[in-house]
Structures are given as C-alpha cells and as structure tokens.
Amino acid sequence: PFLGSGPNPNPNPDPDPNPNPTLTPTPTHPLVFLHLDKTAGTWFRLMLVHTSARELNLSFDVPCYAADGSFDEESCFRFSPRNRFSSQTLEPSPAIIGGHFQWGDWGDIPDEDVTCVVSLRHPYHRVLSLYNQRFRPLFEGRSLGDLNEDELEWLFGNGLGLRLRDGAYTVVDEGLSDAACKMLCGRNEHRGEVVPEPCFYPDRCDVRPEPFRNSTACSYSTLRRRLRRCTLILQERWDESQEVLAARLPYLYREPDLKANMNGRDDADLSLKAKAAIAAHNRCDLFLHDIATLKFDDDLAEARSQGEAQAEASASASAQAWAEED
C-alpha cells in the first residue's frame, strides 16, 4: 500500500515518451545505469564494462573499472561522472555510464535522449541488507530487529555508510531513508564527502542523511514519470529481471554467471518496531516500489510476448523452408 504523505498518486500513470532501449547507445544518446546500494547492481556494472569494452567497442564511464575493463579500486570512490580520477583514462563523452550516480548526472544531455536502467529492491529488504553490511558492527553485532526505539531513531536519523580511505572516512551511501527517491530526484547530498571521524550512537552526527521532501521541484509525479522511462531490475525478482533485460537490451545483455545476493531477505531479522521504523522513514521508497512493480510487470509481459512472437516466426520460417525443399 502507498505510505507517502498526502493522497495516493494514480498508480497507473499515462504512458510517457520512452526512448527505444534496444538501440545501441552513443555519446549523445547514452545508456545510464543508476545503481542503488544493495540491489544486486554490481554484476550489471561488470556486464556493462565487459560487454561494452571487449565486445561492442563502446566508450564507458563505470567507477571501479579502468578504460581497458580492468579493476580500478581508486575510482570506486567516485560518485559523479563529472569527477574523474587520474587513474581513469576515459573518453570525455561516454556511450555507457553506470554507478552509484543520480538522476541528471549525464549533464546537458536531455532526459529524452537517455536510456536509463535502475536497480531497485523492496525497502524492508534493502534496509536490512545495508544495515547488516554497514551498521551492524556499530551495535555490537546485534540484528536490526534487536534494536530499541531510541537506537532505531538514531540509525535512521544519523546513519550514513562510511568507508575508511587514506586515513579519512568517505560517505559511500545516503543512509537508510528514501534513498531510491533521492537518487531519482538528483538529491544525493553527502555521498563522496570526507568526514574526519565516524559518529557513534548516541552522539548526534555532524553529517546526517537528508530526509526526502516532496516538492514542486521533484514531486511524486516526477518520480513516477522518471521511473516509467527506465528499464528496471528488481532484485527480489532476479530471474524475471533477466528476461526483461534480454528483451529490452539485447545488444548488451549476457546471462550472469552468479546469483543475486539474498542477504537481507530474512524477515525473521525484522521486528514489528523495526518494520515500523523502516516504513516511517521510507514512505516515498515504498510508493516508488509499488510503481516499479507495476511497470516491471508490464515490461515482463511485453518481453514474453516478444519471445512468443519470435518463436512463432522462427517456427513459420522453418516450416516454409521444409515446404520449399519438398
């Protein structure tokens, strides 16, 4: 159910103009992958690099990878295509862009000229997975469901993922509150910032995650419209996501040789108060996931319809060939 503030926007929006995702990307019509933390997007970034670099000869900008497709750890701390490290000798105008970026990171290119791919996950499971990876050590290894109300309030109000690099801590995610909505609004406030020291419970942190604000600049309608433009990967529907990607991005897609990380799928780790806290701080992301599921179902039905049509055409061609031989 919709848990956002105000009335529920129409879950069946009018169709928006959508660039043909089956066309091979170019620097003026790039493919952009927006990778939300803990949504099984790392494998897709790897596929972008290996397919574009080694098979299609397309220029790309994907943090963690150098221009030849080799791993480049330094660039993993780059969270905007406009901020390059010297270790990345990349083309100035790539045809493929993918990373922990946000809407609009493609610069002056009009939105209608961008083919976007977004990876999402149900907020309950994404928050749990992110907590287990980034924050659980701060609470002596206790599960999210074991935290009390004060600890949960601190976690959602102060928790930003930090990673130690060169003696300082870099913010590597936007926290546990409406991260998907902030990404699609272009409102990642702190990712990439350097903070002198980590902040621990119960202290109030100097650098804190910004709450999502529904505004005229980025309303629920804006989010819905942007999401409808994109090809979606739903982590909890891994196998079906492969069907959608193979149909919508046939020039790029390769079957993965790994399974999605299922860390964070055990609802036994979520108490009622933990679920209530997640819902209270992710009203927009819950709405976004509802819209994404409807969009994904449409894309999956279209992909399967295309597959059936291709199978029928192939069978008809084979029958015709046999008839001509006879």
Side-chain angles (χ1 to χ4, degrees):
F2 173 65
L3 296 173
S5 57
N8 183 359
N10 176 13
N12 295 302
D14 294 331
D16 295 300
N18 189 26
N20 186 348
T22 63
L23 298 179
T24 304
T26 67
T28 57
H29 291 76
L31 180 143
V32 179
F33 173 49
L34 300 181
H35 178 191
L36 184 65
D37 300 90
K38 312 310 296 179
T39 59
T42 300
W43 72 272
F44 190 73
R45 288 166 67 175
L46 181 62
M47 185 176 68
L48 287 178
V49 170
H50 286 189
T51 303
S52 60
R54 299 178 181 177
E55 298 181 25
L56 299 179
N57 197 30
L58 296 174
S59 59
F60 67 90
D61 182 357
V62 180
C64 295
Y65 298 98
D68 61 357
S70 60
F71 183 71
D72 178 27
E73 183 175 4
E74 181 187 6
S75 70
C76 292
F77 288 86
R78 186 169 61 82
F79 302 104
S80 170
R82 292 182 288 276
N83 298 327
R84 300 287 180 85
F85 287 124
S86 59
S87 62
Q88 281 194 301
T89 55
L90 303 174
E91 295 290 334
S93 299
I96 290 181
I97 302 169
H100 292 302
F101 300 150
Q102 61 182 339
W103 193 272
D105 269 345
W106 41 86
D108 296 332
I109 300 173
D111 289 355
E112 57 267 23
D113 291 339
V114 173
T115 295
C116 58
V117 181
V118 176
S119 58
L120 294 175
R121 186 177 186 179
H122 193 283
Y124 283 168
H125 299 144
R126 197 194 78 85
V127 167
L128 178 57
S129 182
L130 195 59
Y131 170 81
N132 287 337
Q133 182 188 53
R134 301 256 205 267
F135 301 102
R136 192 163 182 158
L138 301 182
F139 294 95
E140 301 175 333
R142 292 152 58 208
S143 71
L144 183 62
D146 288 337
L147 302 189
N148 62 42
E149 292 182 359
D150 288 341
E151 290 168 327
L152 287 168
E153 191 61 33
W154 181 93
L155 178 67
F156 287 97
N158 293 272
L160 286 168
L162 302 178
R163 187 175 298 173
L164 185 63
R165 174 176 177 259
D166 296 334
Y169 289 88
T170 299
V171 179
V172 295
D173 64 64
E174 289 294 315
L176 305 175
S177 302
D178 283 330
C181 287
K182 287 185 282 189
M183 178 184 73
L184 283 176
C185 275
R187 292 184 181 175
N188 287 343
E189 300 286 343
H190 300 298
R191 191 190 299 271
E193 286 187 20
V194 175
V195 297
E197 296 291 338
C199 176
F200 301 108
Y201 174 82
D203 297 332
R204 187 181 188 278
C205 302
D206 293 331
V207 180
R208 310 170 73 226
E210 300 293 331
F212 172 78
R213 296 182 179 89
N214 184 26
S215 67
T216 54
C218 191
S219 64
Y220 286 117
S221 295
T222 303
L223 288 167
R224 183 183 62 196
R225 183 173 63 254
R226 289 178 177 177
L227 193 68
R228 295 285 298 184
R229 293 183 57 81
C230 299
T231 296
L232 302 180
I233 301 169
L234 293 188
Q235 193 263 9
E236 61 267 25
R237 297 175 66 175
W238 176 258
D239 292 337
E240 292 171 319
S241 292
Q242 307 311 310
E243 294 184 59
V244 171
L245 289 171
R248 293 178 65 83
L249 304 173
Y251 60 88
L252 182 70
Y253 178 75
R254 301 294 182 273
E255 185 174 354
D257 58 0
L258 70 162
K259 291 293 185 182
N261 178 12
M262 292 294 113
N263 175 30
R265 291 294 300 276
D266 188 359
D267 281 357
D269 288 340
L270 289 174
S271 62
L272 290 177
K273 63 178 180 292
K275 286 186 176 181
I278 293 173
H281 290 273
N282 288 273
R283 297 179 185 275
C284 183
D285 273 14
L286 285 164
F287 157 70
L288 199 67
H289 194 271
D290 285 347
I291 297 299
T293 300
L294 293 172
K295 166 73 162 61
F296 184 85
D297 287 340
D298 289 344
D299 289 348
L300 180 62
E302 181 180 349
R304 289 177 172 174
S305 177
Q306 290 177 1
E308 293 172 357
Q310 291 171 358
E312 291 178 1
S314 177
S316 177
S318 297
Q320 181 66 27
W322 278 102
E324 291 176 355
E325 288 183 7
D326 290 342

